[in-house]
């Protein structure tokens, strides 16, 4: 599932019953919600969630790879994400002789941690509303094509200005609320990310894709990586001289567990939503679009399964691709 935006979703737990306070909020706008959140048991401030001037939870929550969420859990760059998010990297290091997908992998020392070319971890530097800048020059009577042309031109200028030639930064302007609002997201990107540990698929993928998109799930859906940096703690290409990244903020793992009625906040990069689809779009999705998508992926999965069952090397090579197809199949 592609995850594009950096949002906060809250489940506000009352003393006697758990209820969901529906919605997602940009962390930069959490101040509007903070009093309500605190009344439900949240013990931190809005600045603790999102701050540009001091360390905050945003510095411990990262975009892993192309769109997954990861969390820093140590002062030495240790990062935890989903097993399925690290699946491609686990597969890339696997072979018939060393089947880390099947048996799991655990680095017993820093020297055994495995590099992953092409993998990146992105830290949000800041976000800001740029709606007026994006729509500058647009007039209501313009055609949709002209509007898109203006938006593309303005977006490029905003992103280039935000990066200002810094190769370690990435800027993205994203539309929200069906193009009625635009936000600039600026990230610092680290590219030396090494695999530290992953459970065997019997744990990390327990229940397989039949259980995916279902709740509750009983899988140990996690994998562990470490972010490395240059000696100055800035992004650097892979090198044996690199050192573990020192995060501004990291989460502490609560070994005591949770209690009934605990406050819960989900912080990260969720997928897109279709909350405001009109009825005809829902009808089209349910009766035309989804059935076709399911049928095509059923065909692909059957072919892949047949070939993967014939040869263990083929099974390993196709594991990540097959998992991605199965993930979409179950979603639809």
């Amino acid at each position: 599932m592609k995850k594009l935006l950096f949002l906060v979703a809250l489940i506000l737990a009352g003393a006697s019953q758990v209820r969901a306070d529906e919605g997602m909020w940009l962390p930069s706008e959490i101040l509007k919600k903070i009093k309500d959140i605190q009344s439900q048991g949240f013990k931190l401030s809005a600045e603790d969630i999102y701050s540009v001037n001091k360390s905050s939870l945003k510095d411990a929550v990262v975009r892993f790879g192309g769109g997954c969420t990861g969390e820093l859990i140590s002062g030495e760059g240790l990062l935890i994400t989903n097993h399925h998010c690290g699946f491609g990297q686990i597969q890339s290091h696997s072979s018939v002789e060393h089947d880390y997908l099947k048996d799991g992998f655990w680095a017993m020392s820093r020297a055994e941690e495995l590099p992953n070319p092409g993998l990146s971890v992105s830290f949000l530097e800041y976000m800001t509303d740029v709606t007026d800048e994006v729509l500058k020059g647009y007039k209501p009577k313009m055609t949709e094509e002209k509007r898109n042309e203006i938006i593309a031109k303005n977006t490029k200028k905003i992103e280039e200005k935000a990066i200002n030639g810094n190769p370690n930064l990435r800027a993205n302007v994203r539309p929200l609320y069906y193009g009625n609002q635009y936000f600039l997201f600026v990230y610092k990107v680290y590219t030396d990310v090494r695999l530290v540990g992953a459970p065997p698929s019997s744990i990390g993928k327990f229940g397989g894709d039949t259980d995916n998109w279902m709740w509750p799930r009983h899988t140990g859906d996690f994998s562990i990586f470490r972010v490395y940096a240059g000696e100055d703690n800035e992004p650097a290409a892979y090198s044996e001289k690199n050192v573990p990244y020192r995060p501004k903020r990291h989460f502490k793992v609560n070994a005591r567990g949770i209690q009934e009625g605990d406050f819960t906040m989900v912080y990260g990069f969720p997928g897109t939503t279709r909350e405001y689809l009109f009825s005809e779009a829902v009808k089209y999705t349910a009766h035309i679009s989804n059935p076709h998508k399911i049928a095509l992926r059923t065909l692909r999965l059957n072919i892949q399964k047949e070939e993967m069952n014939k040869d263990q090397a083929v099974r390993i090579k196709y594991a990540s691709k097959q998992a991605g197809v199965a993930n979409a199949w179950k979603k639809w």
Side-chain angles (χ1 to χ4, degrees), residues 146-209:
K146 186 62 177 178
R147 183 181 190 272
N148 291 337
E149 181 183 321
I150 289 173
I151 288 174
K153 183 178 179 180
N154 290 340
T155 292
K156 184 178 180 181
K157 288 182 180 178
I158 294 168
E159 293 176 345
E160 289 178 348
K161 181 180 178 181
I163 294 174
N164 194 27
N166 189 331
N168 296 327
L169 296 181
R170 185 179 73 244
N172 301 123
V173 172
R174 291 286 183 257
L176 276 74
Y177 312 113
Y178 295 90
N180 287 300
Q181 198 170 2
Y182 291 82
F183 272 79
L184 168 68
F185 298 82
V186 178
Y187 303 92
K188 182 173 285 188
V189 183
Y190 287 76
T191 56
D192 187 353
V193 186
R194 308 181 195 180
L195 176 64
V196 175
S201 289
S202 59
I203 294 173
K205 211 171 184 229
F206 181 78
D209 294 292

Side-chain angles (χ1 to χ4, degrees), residues 219-324:
T219 174
D221 186 12
F222 72 94
S223 54
I224 301 174
F225 293 77
R226 193 185 306 276
V227 183
Y228 280 77
E231 292 184 358
D232 57 0
N233 209 39
E234 290 296 306
Y238 171 80
S239 169
E240 292 183 359
K241 296 181 180 180
N242 285 349
V243 296
Y245 170 70
R246 302 183 301 279
K248 298 177 185 176
R249 188 78 167 256
H250 69 273
F251 291 103
K252 296 179 180 179
V253 177
N254 175 17
R256 297 190 303 273
I258 57 176
Q259 303 296 323
E260 185 72 26
D262 278 353
F263 176 89
T264 303
M265 180 173 75
V266 182
Y267 198 172
F269 297 80
T272 57
T273 70
R274 297 290 184 270
E275 185 177 0
Y276 301 108
L277 278 186
F278 50 91
S279 60
E280 285 301 312
V282 174
K283 181 179 178 181
Y284 172 83
T285 299
H287 298 291
I288 299 176
S289 176
N290 279 5
H292 281 295
K293 291 176 181 177
I294 294 167
L296 285 170
R297 279 151 188 83
T298 299
L299 180 64
R300 291 178 67 183
L301 288 171
N302 288 341
I303 295 171
Q304 289 173 346
K305 183 178 180 181
E306 182 178 354
E307 296 302 319
M308 291 168 73
N309 286 341
K310 293 178 183 178
D311 186 285
Q312 291 303 303
V314 173
R315 174 183 62 80
I316 292 170
K317 290 178 181 178
Y318 269 84
S320 184
K321 181 176 288 187
Q322 190 267 350

Side-chain angles (χ1 to χ4, degrees), residues 88-141:
Q89 283 70 43
I90 303 167
Q91 177 207 359
S92 70
H93 295 294
S94 295
S95 64
V96 175
E97 295 76 22
H98 300 284
D99 192 346
Y100 298 138
L101 289 173
K102 179 182 176 183
D103 302 324
F105 169 80
W106 300 102
M108 295 294 105
S109 68
R110 298 274 170 84
E112 293 182 6
E113 296 176 0
L114 301 176
N116 300 278
L119 177 62
S120 64
V121 165
S122 304
F123 291 81
L124 181 72
E125 293 282 284
Y126 67 90
M127 64 179 75
T128 186
D129 188 331
V130 291
T131 306
D132 291 341
E133 294 176 66
V134 170
L135 297 179
K136 186 176 181 180
Y138 167 70
K139 305 295 181 183
K141 292 185 178 180

